Amino acid sequence: QEGWDRLRAPREGRAWLVDGHELVNRPGPRLVDTVELLAHLLHPSAVDRAAAPHLAVPLSTVPPAPV
């Protein structure tokens, strides 16, 4: 994505792609999973990543979108 290289978090491997459809866009029982996952992404040493590990991937592992 244009401009990402100017942001420190993506350069340092601290940007994540989260499945919004499964976690963020809809309220419901997955709300607890969402909070746990976001807590882990913000504080990995304090919160275990047991909740929905497949629903967030490091942005650095995602191939660039076709132009």
Side-chain angles (χ1 to χ4, degrees), residues 5-64:
D5 58 336
R6 294 190 304 264
L7 300 173
R8 188 171 62 185
R11 279 196 326 260
E12 295 177 0
R14 296 183 295 121
W16 290 78
L17 184 64
V18 176
D19 187 339
H21 179 69
E22 287 293 321
L23 294 173
V24 182
N25 298 343
R26 302 183 293 171
R30 302 288 304 263
L31 180 61
V32 173
D33 290 341
T34 302
V35 171
E36 289 177 351
L37 180 62
L38 293 175
H40 170 77
L41 295 177
L42 294 172
H43 301 285
S45 62
V47 181
D48 185 29
R49 190 175 176 200
H54 62 285
L55 297 175
V57 296
L59 190 59
S60 60
T61 64
V62 177

